[in-house]
Amino acid sequence: MTPFTYHSPATLDEASALLLESPDARVIAGGMTLIPTLKQGLARVDRLIDLAGIEALYGIETRGNTLRIGAMTRHHDVATSPLVLARLPGLATLAKGIGDFQVRNRGTIGGSVANNDPAADYPAALLALGATVITNRRQIAAEAFFTGMFGTALEEGELIAAVAFPADIRCAYAKFANPVSGYAMAGTFVALAEGGVRVAVTGAGPGVFRSTLHEAALRERLHPDAARSVPLPEDGMISDFHATAAYRAHLVSVMTARALEELLS
Amino acid sequence: MKFTGEYRIEAPRETVWAAINNPEILRQCIPGCEEIACNTPTDWTAKVTTRVGPVKARFTGNIRLEDLEPPARCRIVGEGNGGPAGFATGGATVELTEADGATLLVYEADAQIGGKLAQIGSRLIDSFAKRYADEFFAAFARIVAEGETLPAPTAPASTPAPAPSSAPTPSSAPQPVAAAVPQGTAPSYPPNVPAHYPPQPGWRFDSQSFVIVVLALLLVFMTIMVGVK
Amino acid sequence: MAGFGIGQAVLRGEDRRFITGKGRYVDDVRLPHMLHAAVVYSSHAHGLIRSIDTHEAKQAPGVVAVLTGQDALADGLGGLPPYFMPSDMGGPPGHRTIRPILVTDRVRCVGDRVAVVIAQSAREAREAASLVAIEIAPLAAVTTPAAATTPGAPAVWDECPGNVCFTLEFGNREATDRAFASASLVVALTILNNRISANPIEPRVALGTYDAADDSFILHTSSQNPHGVRHVLAQSVFGLPESRFRVISPDVGGGFGMKADAYPEDALVLWASRRLGRPVKWVSTRSEALMGDNHGRDQISEAELALDDTGRALGLRVRAQQGLGAYVQSAAVAPITYAMRMLPGVYDIPAVHCSNSAVFTNCSPTGPYRGAGRPEACFTLERLMDEAAVLLGLDRVEIRRRNLIPASAMPHTTATGVTYDSGDFAQMMDRCLVLADWDGYDQRTADSESRGLLRGRAVTTYLESAGVFNERMELRFDPEGNVTILAGTHSHGQGHATVFPQLVHEWLGVPYDQIRYLQGDTDKVAFGRGTYAARSSLLGGTALHAAAQSAIAQARTMAAALLDAAETEIDFADGLFSVRGTNRSLAFVDVAKAFFRPMGKPGGLSLGFTVQGTAGGESPNFPNGAHVCEVEVDPETGAIHIDRYAVVDDVGHVLNPMVCEGQIVGGIAQGLGQALIEQVVYDPENGQLLSGSFSDYGMPRATMMPLHIQSELAEIPCKTNPLGVKGVGESGTIGSPATLVNAVLDALRSVGVTDITMPLTPVKVWTAIEQARQTTRDAA
């Protein structure tokens, strides 16, 4: 890690302005990815802009049918929030299963969403629930926000302020964690939204995606067995020394079924 | 690591051949590519800055060509060094075949990634390599198909060209080739190529195709990040 | 000896400082003017070094020096040899390697040390290390013993074409061939024992100080064998007398055999300190540890068991290869030997023939790792036993019972030439079956089935050979009669600071809190061999016993003088010297004080009271026992849940049951880690390390372990040492991999799976199930 200057702005606009001042400036939310990357020497920053001091980025609140979670809200806070547990319990379950205790006490929803790790949990929830990412400049639908492995629609200087979820949607998340890393080998978020069932998958492919095959099968018959019997093609699934693409494809169906079992129980 | 790809480009083979020999087109197709320079006829250098997730790295790749069968086939080998992050070596065989007025581009690449990136980033390497290659070829196919009127590159030594005023990245909409690509060869091509050097496009084809595939791999190396959420 | 004597579950006194952050590890030692080192490692698995450019690194901020192998050669430094080769002990010849502290011409594995950067801060050293440019012309690399012995494979050492460093052979080939010819069943398996990394909680750290005033060196290093490190550095690297080196290994956070050897960094910090005149510290990162520490296991074997139709074993034949990595280091020969000699285990197998080839590969060196060959032997044998039971349609308990060496047959000499002094193997198995509620299995199976899970179980036996080499312990009294144990062994998690004082307290009657324990400093401890191979209770204990006997003998002379009686009239019991038939007595402590009288030669003996004892180590001991494991497998995901685990261990005379149980439970967890998830992964194409962090190396987690391991100790005293002790440090690790794998395969038998190689990751289990189903479909 090389030396850098540390900034602790009080507003998102101030943070954004600082970020635009240098191509090597970075913001830090929870630091769960950034800090190890810096320590490994795989990235260098000249200024580190800490979002921790921006009061407006914290908290969970409901506005009508919307559950709004501030970008700096930690996973543990989402997992234990009475509001989330009452209005979107599937999201609380997801948050409770992220990483380990240390990660849940430091990592934030904004950091996770902005990073869009292909095996991160939150992107699946945003995509399945049709959430909206609220930035300092605009609102972006989840469908448009995630653009593949580590890719997002965020522009230079654009920062996430909050994520808005439609509340009171029946949903559930099932994850099969890679026993080595704890990352999702396959994680499936199933939501019974107004437009029909939505299935979003993380960990199995090179980025979060909606499994239209599963959605179609479940539209026909909303039953775990319908999900289990979907032969998801392994083409496009991740294959590495941890697991084959065939296994990941299979897990997507199993996890979809298990999420549905949870949801229908 | 091995990977293969096949792309149909809606342009005649000669056009594809010419385009693939145009460093400026390649530069536009490679995300984060700042320049492609031909130091000697068989020694090429590409400078790329890439940013994926939390990782940002700038690296240099060197390329040389080995077997040439212009205008149909070539083999490119090369290596890239990302300093503390590691290194990459690799090769790619690229074939162009005619297909109903269009061109089928098939590549087979193998790459070796070494050092820290292999040690801590293996979970992401394959996916990123595929994504990167796809991004490149998608951009390439689009640009070439839209720019069929693209003039063939002239002899490498002849016309240094001005740098383009703006270089669209593949993620943004590519501009039509005719507008985006200045005529002539890349500005970095050295004007002092030996006279005996045959100015066949194939030479450049090789090195640049290598850039296509192997640099994609190099980028992969550079963009691997630590596996912590 | 209420509360603190032998056999008491005395709480570990050292834990207070460990769990309150007050331990003193090497990285806690910070010396004035200290510099920091960062090592530049090879990124290539195999290649010729074309150039090393240190220019840019030398210009970097804070950098004091950048040293290469050429500098080391210029300074006359040598390299690191193995502790021993088979030929040193009358065995066959082999290619002995010397590992340079920095390589100069050729790299042979990822992680080979190429240069070292010394800077004002650790951060600056690391930054500069990344600026050292090494140009390497790659050579083809091999990563497995099988690949390395394929005809035409690249040679790791040009001097050793074919890559086989040496081959060890045990048993009787003709007798074994005859046994196989007469067998009614031959079971054959190919068995892989995965390469794993020790991952102690404290990575290796070295701090070197050169004292120009008297031309001597002090090395603080996280080692389990400080005298061994001193010897190697003095003799093989520096070529200077050992007396010029002081090696200090204070608190050490785990070693598991991996820290029993000197590493290049130990030499580098001393050398750099001599050149620069300031202390130099190096601290390994976790990724550097996964890459550069010696690994464990890495064996492949073709194993065959011949049986008659009643399930009696007639013969055992094993052809094994063990990966050495790029260098023969440490006691690498030990696991290769034990893996063969201990193959017969607790079974009476009349004919055995086995061989093990040590094979060079372009990987980090392997060395002893908790169990060191004995887990490999146990795994091979117990997999064959289960397979034989299945093929014969015999109950898996019954086939073992028919082959166990009966207690009445002790002492028993195996076909590989090992003599067991004691043991009641059937009793261990029977007690373990009861402990695990073996008979209640059917009901639990029904319960698992109702939840869609496959239940399986296994019972296995294990036998360990514990203790090697001789040992020395010293007792030193102070003027107030307090005693300090100066241990030649080295506790790095084993609880010696608690258990050895228990022994001295029991034997001498010195109050427990007046006994101090000291280890890990070659200037304080005259000599010792450190701790590994479950040796300390036997060798440290026996040497301490000899020292205590010597102390009693000298104190008896002193007591006789003090009590004005003949030595023959003096009795010693419960810490008191008393004159027989009188009420005159003196406590041991008071007798010890008399050695410090200011005038004359106290008691006609000596000023001061120091005794030492030696254990010859003529015979190892043979801890043994049985494990039972029950698992549930989720056929849909391949996930394994360990539902039940029981273990009964014969550890001989128990010195501290709590410490014993801690060793056994920890050992089981470590073995389960190997079986479930751990593996060092190299890219077979180019030798790149792919498991370079805990994101990719499967470090076992608490949640993977059984909720409760039911452990019971059996005390069948060893007959070849005065304490009656048997080792305990490696036992759990030896038995648990085979138990887990057999249990999982039992669960999967119903779906047609017959074998899976370790580690049994979910993807492997699921894939095996899928393949078995496919095979069944194809057959139908």
Side-chain angles (χ1 to χ4, degrees), chain A residues 79-106:
Chain A
T80 55
S81 156
L83 268 181
V84 179
L85 287 164
R87 307 284 302 267
L88 220 46
L91 188 66
T93 307
L94 176 147
K96 196 179 172 186
I98 298 174
D100 51 31
F101 278 110
Q102 289 86 344
V103 167
R104 290 193 291 276
N105 282 323
R106 292 292 308 172

Side-chain angles (χ1 to χ4, degrees), chain C residues 578-625:
Chain C
S578 52
V579 183
R580 202 169 305 126
T582 74
N583 62 358
R584 284 184 292 144
S585 66
L586 276 172
F588 190 100
V589 170
D590 292 323
V591 175
K593 289 177 185 171
F595 284 85
F596 295 87
R597 287 178 176 177
M599 307 296 286
K601 213 175 188 182
L605 293 163
S606 63
L607 170 59
F609 188 14
T610 301
V611 293
Q612 63 113 341
T614 294
E618 291 83 3
S619 177
N621 58 71
F622 300 96
N624 63 86

Side-chain angles (χ1 to χ4, degrees), chain C residues 325-357:
Chain C
Y327 304 91
V328 199
Q329 287 288 277
S330 186
V333 176
I336 292 165
T337 309
Y338 281 123
M340 296 295 107
R341 290 200 79 192
M342 302 313 294
L343 272 168
V346 298
Y347 304 117
D348 182 9
I349 306 175
V352 178
H353 184 246
C354 50
S355 68
N356 200 355
S357 295

Side-chain angles (χ1 to χ4, degrees), chain A residues 241, chain C residues 194-196 677-681 691 696-698 759 761 764:
Chain A
F241 78 79
Chain C
N194 38 327
R195 177 180 272 254
I196 50 184
I677 190 172
E678 293 191 57
Q679 57 178 337
V680 175
V681 182
S691 52
D696 291 312
Y697 183 87
T761 54
K764 273 193 188 169

